[in-house]
Amino acid sequence: MASFEYNGNPSRVIFGSGTLSMLAAELARLEVCTPLFLSTPEQQGPTLELAKSLGARADHLFAEATMHTPLHITEKALGVANTCGVDSFVSLGGGSTIGLGKALSVRTGLVHICIPTTYAGSEMTPILGETVNGLKTTRRDPAILPTTVIYDVDLTLTLPAMMSATSGINAIAHAVEALYAANKNPIVSVLALEGIRPLARSLPTLVSSPSDISARKDALFGAWLCGFCLGSVDMALHHKLCHTLGGSFNLPHAETHTIILPHALAYNAPAIPEAMQKLAEVLPDSDGDAIKGLNVLLERLGVRTALKDFGLTEEDVTKAAEIALSKPYPNPRTLEMASIQELIRRAWVGEKARADL
């Protein structure tokens, strides 16, 4: 076995059904009592209900979390936090809300408790992606990592089928890239495969039976492991493309990850034969071909596979390639402008991924 380095992320995790009831005890354990609750506008109702159940005032809610964590939203939330004199943050929702919580916590040094309602995985990473003037940049710092994560399977039961599907593929993308990261290691590789396996198995069930509690547990557990992988090793081409498309073109996060994943994997396939083999083993119906396995999975989920459906224009394809390659992440295969542009074009049209880039 080759030498390697491994750094574990120290978040406290509470996992199960009905675990939301443990929030009050967790706040007490951390010796905080005046949290600012965070949500998107769509989840304002449930979040306000949670806040009031703990005796918080209605003005201790900031319900303007937005995808890609734009700086002006963070600064507005900071103003609310300062006015209210809060001593902690509680984020209830997906990647947009959790990203805002991370941005606030790292700036203030205050406790941050995450309660994920999707499979985004952001809650398990010391990574913060922020958008300023149409450009999304990321930074990694242990101080960004949330203090506690409360996974309550019950909160995912109302997640719509298509959102479950794309959020789950987003999680799988974290683990796929961890298999061939520049600083990969055998511990994270094992966790990546064990995260992908239950997600690939459970997501088709959730599309047809969204209230299947067993499948929900599998998906949430898999998402936890996949998110941990993202937070433990470096990102590569897949995430760079998604950050570019999201931050510069305002494409939706999970849907963009879903579309780009098989194409980015196809691009890197010639340079990562071992990772491709291991990935194929945990993807149903792959027949030994990981790219085929992902294509089949997306077909079974019925997700949209064309970036043009979400507002990207044909003229944007070249610009996206140029932005992505201007400051690239480490990648196992050398990045070639013509091939990356073709990759994005295929994703724009909605073609099936194939290994001929």
Side-chain angles (χ1 to χ4, degrees):
M1 180 179 293
S3 299
F4 65 91
E5 294 182 6
Y6 169 74
N7 295 292
N9 292 330
S11 277
R12 170 174 161 83
V13 174
I14 300 170
F15 186 98
S17 179
T19 50
L20 184 62
S21 64
M22 299 178 68
L23 175 59
E26 189 63 15
L27 289 167
R29 187 188 73 83
L30 293 168
E31 299 181 343
V32 293
C33 59
T34 313
L36 178 65
F37 289 81
L38 307 171
S39 79
T40 59
E42 294 77 13
Q43 290 191 299
Q44 179 173 352
T47 309
L48 182 59
E49 183 179 340
L50 174 62
K52 288 183 174 179
S53 74
L54 297 177
R57 300 198 311 267
D59 61 356
H60 284 189
L61 168 67
F62 183 82
E64 299 180 38
T66 305
M67 64 181 182
H68 310 306
T69 320
L71 180 61
H72 72 277
I73 294 294
T74 299
E75 291 175 339
K76 186 175 182 180
L78 276 173
V80 174
N82 291 331
T83 298
C84 294
V86 303
D87 59 9
S88 53
F89 301 102
V90 174
S91 55
L92 176 68
S96 298
T97 305
I98 292 169
L100 176 59
K102 291 160 78 169
L104 295 170
S105 178
V106 75
R107 284 171 167 80
T108 61
L110 298 181
V111 163
H112 177 202
I113 299 176
C114 289
I115 308 170
T117 59
T118 70
Y119 307 126
S122 175
E123 67 279 358
M124 292 308 300
T125 77
I127 301 167
L128 175 60
E130 297 182 284
T131 303
V132 182
N133 297 325
L135 290 177
K136 186 171 185 178
T137 59
T138 62
R139 59 172 165 147
R140 183 186 293 259
D141 186 328
I144 293 170
L145 195 69
T147 312
T148 301
V149 179
I150 299 177
Y151 287 111
D152 189 335
V153 176
D154 297 352
L155 297 179
T156 67
L157 291 174
T158 56
L159 190 64
M162 281 298 100
M163 192 176 296
S164 297
T166 56
S167 179
I169 297 297
N170 180 16
I172 287 175
H174 302 332
V176 167
E177 205 154 69
L179 291 172
Y180 57 79
N183 58 342
K184 67 181 185 297
N185 65 71
I187 306 299
V188 171
S189 293
V190 168
L191 293 174
L193 295 170
E194 290 308 310
I196 294 167
R197 193 191 309 273
L199 275 163
R201 179 179 64 239
S202 62
L203 289 178
T205 300
L206 293 183
V207 168
S208 59
S209 304
S211 60
D212 188 309
I213 190 69
S214 178
R216 287 289 181 190
K217 286 180 178 178
D218 277 354
L220 194 58
F221 181 72
W224 168 13
L225 295 185
C226 291
F228 181 89
C229 294
L230 174 65
S232 302
V233 294
D234 291 340
M235 295 177 284
L237 174 64
H238 169 84
H239 279 85
K240 184 61 182 183
L241 291 175
C242 292
H243 290 163
T244 297
L245 293 164
S248 298
F249 301 92
N250 203 38
L251 267 62
H253 185 83
E255 290 85 350
T256 301
H257 277 270
T258 297
I259 294 169
I260 290 294
L261 177 58
H263 296 285
L265 183 67
Y267 181 88
N268 280 323
I272 53 169
E274 183 179 356
M276 295 295 290
Q277 179 182 349
K278 291 180 178 179
L279 180 58
E281 292 171 359
V282 297
L283 290 173
D285 306 310
S286 71
D287 295 328
D289 181 344
I291 299 170
K292 176 185 176 183
L294 282 175
N295 284 334
V296 170
L297 179 58
L298 297 188
E299 285 181 1
R300 292 184 66 192
L301 296 179
V303 295
R304 289 190 283 181
T305 57
L307 294 175
K308 64 181 181 180
D309 291 345
F310 298 97
L312 195 75
T313 68
E314 188 170 10
E315 292 72 26
D316 292 331
V317 170
T318 299
K319 183 179 179 182
E322 291 172 348
I323 294 172
L325 267 63
S326 63
K327 292 183 179 179
Y329 297 162
N331 194 67
R333 178 181 167 187
T334 301
L335 300 177
E336 302 167 358
M337 174 59 75
S339 295
I340 297 302
Q341 188 171 332
E342 172 61 12
L343 184 164
I344 299 172
R345 187 203 65 78
R346 292 179 184 182
W348 174 74
V349 173
E351 296 180 7
K352 281 188 179 180
R354 57 187 190 275
D356 62 350
L357 284 166

